[in-house]
């Protein structure tokens, strides 16, 4: 069957690649050829960059009418309609833009057609068409090797994601080139910025180490987001959506357009609410985005201010494997037993957080070859999660025992809040050169993180003489992060390109104070990293590309690894990744194909082995050798004019060599050690695949059938079949229809039916294994995802 499918695919490639005519030409600006201009054949898979002489060529085209979209930084984008019935040459003249375009702001950290890395660009239109309240990971889940999961089960509220099996703590995220990862935990929680998707211009996902960027280390991927670019005409939009689980989304946005040819203001206000699929897993999300800019022919000065507030009922405990059989929506968070033995749930068992972002950007074009960028940023986050606790020791909260006559109260029911109050600020910069045969980027940044962690007891059944809102712990983390990088591309002839990317990163991190278990956390760490990257790309023709790259990345342990280590125990060490990528891309007017092989070799990767610290908490341990290797395949076919298919699949192997497991023995109060040899890395499915079939039977109507398959995953590093997530195959149906009225420029109707065939599955889990009375047992928590559910939305543009 596999051989037959492969032969069928090869025949399809041959059939679709067979063309009749050729379209070639030259792109000029200011009377000179423009090297590196983007030339895209609209409604096709064909897109290329012009040569050093400004020329381009499309082969194997069918006869008919085509639209060329031509763009270059500093010039107005131009669309040209060409009718082909024989080979044809065209000359396309681009006019200088009266203002500099926003794409220059993020050019230093983006990969382009000559960069030898695996990446996917997602347009703002693609994101907008899917955006009906779900978090950004769910809007990116059709990109290769991407797996999204939701605590609440429906993609609203707290979400998680992995790329190539790598979790969010190892994935670099930037917004306009500014780091978005939390400096201590290294994670990115998009719930803190609800509906940021409504202010996104485009996203680039680089898989593997990728190119040098600012912020956290990229140990599996980089997600580079650009917010709204300049819209020269005034606009207004109102988008509303509603669906299952009392989910509602409302977004209002407007922009002034270009005022006096120099100034522009844009604003957005959003609110998203949902009860969630899981019991009480509600979300109350609010956000705004305001942007003001000055634009001239050579300069941009832009200010972005955006903020998000989230209050979500906690749903992070999961459901035991036994409970899954009887009650898939059960949520134990906030559960307690009252004085009459009745099970109740605390009303305010919530996560409550607000995050404010301030960005100042400056870009200036010195001449046709040189430009500079500089940005300053300040991010302020504060919030807590609240917990109802039963029968807790007063001493554990630094509360005195309470005497009642001859009796002494040493335990009480209480409510606590664990707070995070942090400030993150710094600068980023780049100097960019683009010539006919080479390009150079010199860039970097500096950031400072200052975060307070503290806890308060806001209520207790027995409080005694203690002050209300009693603080029982406080610690502070400070982190300085410096980085400098240089990227150089050089074209050897027309078809061969050499790439080098060198980064130096310095980190200074310290913690002072005590933790919630009253342990002293005092410590400091310094790191110096050198992260080199090299590659080569070769284009045998304009529609084919081969590339090879090798990169090294280093990553410091996050806060959890440092905080949870046992006093006097071994300090977690630096992780190092060596990443080899080999790829091939092919495109024609009706067919595209890409294959990327990767081998990610880790030294001293930090993983959970079952080892614990002195208070019984699990700790991260460096394992000597581990790796991820696989092949990512992508394909697209314009079957007929009204029917298009796009898909991707990743086949991988993810292993830890010589893994040793540690299991708590409750009979001896010690730990048992098991040498398991080579095992699978947790949460790393061997197969991840996506498919999207788009049918456009009439103008402005699109019907999409979307499918995602995720293979079996182990939920710890032992390769034990008793501790797994089953594979799942989920399908969705999406419909969009647009029309015009006298009152509105455009009205678009959206319908999304998620999990069309009611697949029963879980996308995430945790497990704790132990020995009791001589038998191996476990505690676990699974995160069920919703069955069939829908969202209906309407967009009004005016």
């Amino acid at each position: 069957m596999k051989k037959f499918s492969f032969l069928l695919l090869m025949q399809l490639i041959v059939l679709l690649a067979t063309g009749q005519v050729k379209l070639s030409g030259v792109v000029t600006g200011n009377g000179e050829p423009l090297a590196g201009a983007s030339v895209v054949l609209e409604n096709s898979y064909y897109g290329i960059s012009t040569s050093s002489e400004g020329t381009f060529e499309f082969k194997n085209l069918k006869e008919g009418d085509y639209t060329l979209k031509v763009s270059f930084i500093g010039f107005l984008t131009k669309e040209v309609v060409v009718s082909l019935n024989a080979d044809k040459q065209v000359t396309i003249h681009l006019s200088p833009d009266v203002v500099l375009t926003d794409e220059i702001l993020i050019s230093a950290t983006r990969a382009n057609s000559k960069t030898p890395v695996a990446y996917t660009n997602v347009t703002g239109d693609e994101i907008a068409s899917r955006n009906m309240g779900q978090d950004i990971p769910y809007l990116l889940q059709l990109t290769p090797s991407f797996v999204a999961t939701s605590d609440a089960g429906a993609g609203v509220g707290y979400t998680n994601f992995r790329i190539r099996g790598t979790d969010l703590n190892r994935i670099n995220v930037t917004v306009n080139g500014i780091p978005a990862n939390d400096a201590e935990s290294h994670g990115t929680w998009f719930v803190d910025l609800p509906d940021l998707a409504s202010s996104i211009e485009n996203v680039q996902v680089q898989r593997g180490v990728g190119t040098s960027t600012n912020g956290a280390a990229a140990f599996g991927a980089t997600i580079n987001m650009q917010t709204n670019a300049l819209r020269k005409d005034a606009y207004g939009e109102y988008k509303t959506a509603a669906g299952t689980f009392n989910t509602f989304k409302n977004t209002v946005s407007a922009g002034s357009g270009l005022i006096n040819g120099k100034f522009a203001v844009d604003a957005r206000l959003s609110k998203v609410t949902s009860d969630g699929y899981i019991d009480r897993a509600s979300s109350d999300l609010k956000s705004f985005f305001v942007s003001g800019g000055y634009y001239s022919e050579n300069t941009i000065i832009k200010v972005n201010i955006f903020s998000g507030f989230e209050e979500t009922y906690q749903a992070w405990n999961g459901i035991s494997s036994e409970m899954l059989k009887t009650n898939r929506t059960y949520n134990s968070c906030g559960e307690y037993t009252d004085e009459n033995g009745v099970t109740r749930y605390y009303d305010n068992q919530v996560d409550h957080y607000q995050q404010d972002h301030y960005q100042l950007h400056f870009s200036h074009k010195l001449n046709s070859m040189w430009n500079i960028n500089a940005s300053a940023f300040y991010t302020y986050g504060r919030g807590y999660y609240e917990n109802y606790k039963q029968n807790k020791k007063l001493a554990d909260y630094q509360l005195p025992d309470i005497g009642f006559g001859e009796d002494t109260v040493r335990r009480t029911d209480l409510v606590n809040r664990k707070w995070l109050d942090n400030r993150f600020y710094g600068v980023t910069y780049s100097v960019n050169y683009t010539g006919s045969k080479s390009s150079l980027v010199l860039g970097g940044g500096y950031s400072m993180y200052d975060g307070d962690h503290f806890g308060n007891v806001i209520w207790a059944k027995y409080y005694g003489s203690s002050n209300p809102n009693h603080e029982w712990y406080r610690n502070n983390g400070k982190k300085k992060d410096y980085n400098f990088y240089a990227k150089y591309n050089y074209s050897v002839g027309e078809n061969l390109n050499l790439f080098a990317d060198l980064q130096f990163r310095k980190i200074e991190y310290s913690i002072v104070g005590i933790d919630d278990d009253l342990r002293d956390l005092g410590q400091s760490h310094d790191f110096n990293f050198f992260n080199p990257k090299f590659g080569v790309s070769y284009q045998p023709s304009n529609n084919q590309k081969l590339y090879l790259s090798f990169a090294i990345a280093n990553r410091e342990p996050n806060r959890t690894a440092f905080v949870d280590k046992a006093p006097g125990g071994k300090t977690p060490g630096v992780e190092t990744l060596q990443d080899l990528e080999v790829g091939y891309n092919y495109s024609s007017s009706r067919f595209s194909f890409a294959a990327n092989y990767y081998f990610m070799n880790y030294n001293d990767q930090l993983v959970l082995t079952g080892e614990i610290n002195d208070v019984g908490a699990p700790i991260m341990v460096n394992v000597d050798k581990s790796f991820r290797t696989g092949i990512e395949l992508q394909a697209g076919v314009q079957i007929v004019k009204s029917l298009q298919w796009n898909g991707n699949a990743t086949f991988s192997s993810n292993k830890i060599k010589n893994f040793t497991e540690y299991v708590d023995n409750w009979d001896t109060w010690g730990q048992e050690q098991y040498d398991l040899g080579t095992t699978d890395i947790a949460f790393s499915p061997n197969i991840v695949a996506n498919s999207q079939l788009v049918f456009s039977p009439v103008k402005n109507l699109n019907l999409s059938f979307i499918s995602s398959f995720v293979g079996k995953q182990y939920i710890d590093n032992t390769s034990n079949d008793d501790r797994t997530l089953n594979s799942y195959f989920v399908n969705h149906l999406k419909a969009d229809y647009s029309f015009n009225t006298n009152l509105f420029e455009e009205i678009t109707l959206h319908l999304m039916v998620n999990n069309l065939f009611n697949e029963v599955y879980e996308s995430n889990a945790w497990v704790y294994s132990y020995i009791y009375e001589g038998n191996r047992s476990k505690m676990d928590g699974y995160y069920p995802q919703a069955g069939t559910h829908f969202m209906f939305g309407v967009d009004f543009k005016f």
Side-chain angles (χ1 to χ4, degrees), residues 27 59 208 437 499:
V27 178
K59 295 180 178 180
K437 288 186 174 293
F499 173 77

Side-chain angles (χ1 to χ4, degrees), residues 312-370:
T312 57
Y313 195 95
Q314 295 168 22
W316 50 52
N317 285 356
I319 302 171
S320 70
S321 51
E322 291 300 318
M323 182 72 76
L324 281 172
K325 302 170 185 176
T326 57
N327 184 1
R328 292 181 58 79
T329 64
Y330 171 72
N331 181 9
S332 65
C333 289
E335 184 177 282
Y336 68 97
T337 304
D338 69 10
E339 294 175 349
N340 299 316
V342 178
T343 298
R344 298 189 181 279
Y345 296 92
Y346 181 56
D347 290 339
N348 206 47
Q349 190 88 359
V350 299
D351 183 89
H352 176 110
Y353 195 76
Q354 180 169 332
Q355 194 173 81
D356 306 326
H357 293 251
Y358 305 88
Q359 299 182 350
L360 173 63
H361 301 282
F362 170 77
S363 293
H364 181 68
K365 188 171 92 171
L366 301 171
N367 53 44
S368 60
M369 293 182 293
W370 289 91

Side-chain angles (χ1 to χ4, degrees), residues 23 26-27 34 36-42 46-50 54-58 68-71 92:
L23 173 61
V26 63
V27 178
L34 294 178
S38 171
V39 185
V40 176
L41 208 60
E42 291 280 82
Y46 232 155
I48 57 177
S49 297
T50 56
T55 61
F56 66 90
E57 182 178 83
F58 294 107
L68 289 175
K69 185 175 182 179
V70 186
S71 59
I92 300 171

Side-chain angles (χ1 to χ4, degrees), residues 173-448:
V173 181
T174 58
V175 179
N176 302 320
I178 289 172
N181 300 74
D182 179 80
E184 285 194 299
S185 70
H186 301 183
T188 305
W189 289 271
F190 289 104
V191 70
D192 295 340
L193 292 171
D195 201 29
L196 178 62
S198 289
S199 297
I200 292 293
E201 184 73 17
N202 55 66
V203 178
Q204 183 175 91
V205 181
Q206 298 178 23
R207 300 183 298 281
V209 171
T211 63
S212 291
T213 184
N214 300 302
F219 248 54
T222 297
I223 298 177
N224 186 318
M225 297 182 288
Q226 180 187 1
T227 57
N228 288 352
L230 171 66
R231 294 170 67 169
K232 294 182 179 179
D233 297 321
Y235 67 93
E237 297 178 356
Y238 170 60
K239 299 181 179 182
T240 184
T244 316
F245 315 122
N246 287 321
T247 301
F248 296 94
K249 173 183 177 290
N250 288 282
T251 301
V252 179
S253 56
S256 65
L258 204 55
I259 302 173
N260 296 328
K262 297 291 185 183
F263 301 95
V265 178
D266 299 271
R268 171 187 58 80
L269 187 65
S270 298
K271 181 176 175 61
V272 181
T273 59
S274 178
D275 290 344
Y277 166 66
I278 301 299
D279 295 342
R280 301 180 312 285
S282 59
S283 298
D284 182 6
L285 316 174
K286 306 178 183 73
S287 70
F288 73 83
F289 184 98
V290 179
S291 178
Y294 165 81
Y295 298 84
S296 71
E297 183 178 356
N298 296 312
T299 303
I300 298 174
I301 300 174
K302 190 171 185 177
V303 175
N304 294 328
I305 301 174
F306 51 104
S307 177
F309 166 80
E310 61 88 6
E311 185 168 272
T312 57
Y313 195 95
Q314 295 168 22
W316 50 52
N317 285 356
I319 302 171
S320 70
S321 51
E322 291 300 318
M323 182 72 76
L324 281 172
K325 302 170 185 176
T326 57
N327 184 1
R328 292 181 58 79
T329 64
Y330 171 72
N331 181 9
S332 65
C333 289
E335 184 177 282
Y336 68 97
T337 304
D338 69 10
E339 294 175 349
N340 299 316
V342 178
T343 298
R344 298 189 181 279
Y345 296 92
Y346 181 56
D347 290 339
N348 206 47
Q349 190 88 359
V350 299
D351 183 89
H352 176 110
Y353 195 76
Q354 180 169 332
Q355 194 173 81
D356 306 326
H357 293 251
Y358 305 88
Q359 299 182 350
L360 173 63
H361 301 282
F362 170 77
S363 293
H364 181 68
K365 188 171 92 171
L366 301 171
N367 53 44
S368 60
M369 293 182 293
W370 289 91
N371 66 74
I372 57 174
N373 295 310
S375 299
F377 63 90
Y378 177 79
T379 303
Y380 177 44
R382 67 277 189 196
Y384 58 84
Y385 61 93
E386 190 168 317
N387 300 277
Y388 186 96
K389 298 289 187 180
Q390 276 195 296
N391 197 33
K392 293 299 179 181
K393 290 181 179 179
L394 290 166
D396 288 346
Y397 291 85
Q398 299 204 72
L399 290 167
D401 293 345
I402 303 169
F404 287 97
E406 296 181 358
D407 296 326
T408 301
V409 175
R410 293 184 172 86
R411 290 180 177 268
T412 184
D413 296 348
L414 56 84
V415 176
N416 68 44
R417 285 180 175 174
K418 293 186 173 182
W419 280 85
L420 176 62
D421 188 319
N422 55 38
R423 295 146 296 281
F424 182 53
Y425 52 90
V427 295
T428 64
Y429 58 88
S430 68
V431 179
N432 311 283
Y433 166 81
T434 303
S436 60
K437 288 186 174 293
S438 63
S439 64
L440 174 67
V441 177
L442 300 176
Y446 163 79
S447 65
M448 174 68 187

Side-chain angles (χ1 to χ4, degrees), residues 533-673:
K533 309 165 186 71
F534 303 97
V536 58
S537 61
Y538 174 68
Q539 289 183 281
S541 63
N542 278 336
N543 63 336
Q544 295 185 78
K545 174 184 171 182
L546 291 159
Y547 62 86
L548 167 69
S549 68
F550 178 76
I552 295 176
N554 294 279
R555 175 181 180 268
E556 77 281 11
N558 63 12
R559 171 187 166 87
T560 300
F562 285 131
V563 166
D564 288 342
K565 83 174 186 68
K570 185 178 180 180
T571 300
V574 169
E575 301 172 87
T576 300
L577 169 61
Q578 300 165 339
D579 181 24
L580 174 69
E581 308 269 339
V582 182
Y584 170 75
N585 297 336
Y586 170 86
S587 62
S588 70
S589 60
R590 296 178 59 197
F591 177 76
S592 71
F593 175 77
N596 182 75
Y597 168 77
Y598 64 89
F599 182 78
M600 300 167 64
N601 185 55
Y602 298 89
N603 292 321
D604 298 323
Q605 183 177 190
L606 281 165
V607 303
L608 290 171
T609 66
E611 289 188 72
I612 59 175
N613 62 17
D614 59 319
V615 294
I619 61 175
M620 301 289 283
V621 176
N622 295 100
V623 293
D624 290 340
K625 298 294 182 182
S626 54
F627 68 87
R628 301 180 187 276
T629 185
I631 186 166
E632 297 164 324
L633 303 175
Q634 299 178 75
V637 183
Q638 188 76 44
I639 301 170
V640 294
K641 187 175 182 181
S642 60
L643 185 62
Q644 184 183 77
W645 174 82
N646 294 291
N648 59 71
T650 300
F651 303 92
S652 66
S653 177
N654 311 274
K655 302 290 185 179
I656 299 174
K657 298 181 179 179
N658 303 317
F659 180 74
T660 300
E661 179 191 22
Y662 294 83
V663 181
D664 286 355
N665 190 325
W666 288 12
D667 299 327
T668 65
W669 292 95
Q671 285 198 302
E672 304 299 326
Q673 178 177 324

